Amino acid sequence: MNKLIIFLLATLVSISVNAQDSTSIRKHKFSFFSEAELSPSQSFKGRGISFSTVYNFSDNISLGLGAKPYMMFYRKYDYCYDYFTITSNGKIICHTDRYTKAEFDADFCLPVYLVFKCMFSKHTNAAPFVEVRVGKDVVNATQDLYRAISVGARFGFKNKYSRAINVSFGWQKNGIFEDFHNYNGGTILFKVGYEF
């Protein structure tokens, strides 16, 4: 995990910045995103792909909708049940049953969300951005909203700036089975994707 973070940071720092000639690169156009996402935590590992469509009000501000189908792979939990029985001669016997709960080992989630993205540089091939998502899981009955915030960089192709590779990391929360698993649903988030 630490090696991945160091690699991403080194990539962001080492990529050269090349100026673009156009004054309006993506303004008043739609952009489409497909991103592979990892969200590990102590209770589960989340893996999935997000699909987003945004409208670029300017070269810096985008707003749109997205969906993120993904799986949450939970660790297995061992449960112990203690109970007592009394024999015919009055002796009390303690029994312990132990088994592994497998019902919630994996769970499918599908948050649908509103996405807001702010680019901090519109005339460079390597542009930093902040992205905020707020939505609701439409598959699982969660009381909490799905929300995510991430920071990253957009690496546009020199000949076609509307196409780019996006790399980001941040935080997300999608409270699934919080009472059962006794966790708050918040995880770190890594994303790598393609914009076209």
Side-chain angles (χ1 to χ4, degrees):
M1 184 67 68
N2 291 335
K3 291 180 182 178
L4 177 62
I5 293 171
I6 292 170
F7 172 76
L8 292 176
L9 290 175
T11 302
L12 291 175
V13 172
S14 65
I15 291 185
S16 61
V17 176
N18 296 317
Q20 299 292 311
D21 295 329
S22 174
T23 57
S24 179
I25 299 168
R26 299 178 304 136
K27 187 175 181 179
H28 302 305
K29 296 179 182 176
F30 282 95
S31 295
F32 303 94
F33 299 86
S34 177
E35 297 175 297
E37 301 191 12
L38 296 174
S39 51
S41 76
Q42 291 181 349
S43 299
F44 68 89
K45 294 178 181 178
R47 297 184 185 109
I49 299 176
S50 63
F51 303 96
S52 304
T53 301
V54 300
Y55 180 75
N56 301 298
F57 291 95
S58 69
D59 289 323
N60 300 96
I61 303 296
S62 303
L63 184 67
L65 296 172
K68 178 184 173 180
Y70 73 106
M71 294 294 295
M72 297 171 78
F73 298 96
Y74 297 99
R75 64 181 183 181
K76 294 183 179 180
Y77 289 86
D78 290 331
Y79 288 87
C80 296
Y81 288 95
D82 293 332
Y83 60 95
F84 298 92
T85 57
I86 300 175
T87 62
S88 57
N89 62 359
K91 184 178 179 182
I92 299 175
I93 300 174
C94 177
H95 302 274
T96 301
D97 286 344
R98 178 184 295 269
Y99 68 95
T100 300
K101 187 77 169 178
E103 183 179 355
F104 297 102
D105 284 349
D107 191 30
F108 177 73
C109 305
L110 181 57
V112 175
Y113 53 83
L114 184 69
V115 59
F116 171 78
K117 195 166 190 175
C118 179
M119 306 287 294
F120 293 106
S121 177
K122 67 179 182 179
H123 298 293
T124 61
N125 273 20
F129 66 82
V130 173
E131 182 186 86
V132 177
R133 297 175 177 177
V134 177
K136 188 71 174 167
D137 196 318
V138 296
V139 173
N140 292 287
T142 59
Q143 296 178 356
D144 211 357
L145 291 174
Y146 167 78
R147 51 200 182 275
I149 184 167
S150 57
V151 294
R154 177 186 190 278
F155 303 106
F157 296 107
K158 191 171 183 178
N159 297 332
K160 188 75 173 174
Y161 188 76
S162 62
R163 296 182 182 176
I165 301 295
N166 289 284
V167 178
S168 63
F169 64 95
W171 174 87
Q172 77 167 2
K173 184 171 183 182
N174 189 26
I176 308 296
F177 301 117
E178 294 185 13
D179 295 334
F180 179 81
H181 289 284
N182 195 25
Y183 75 98
N184 65 10
T187 67
I188 57 175
L189 178 64
F190 297 99
K191 300 190 299 176
V192 177
Y194 180 64
E195 175 185 351
F196 56 97

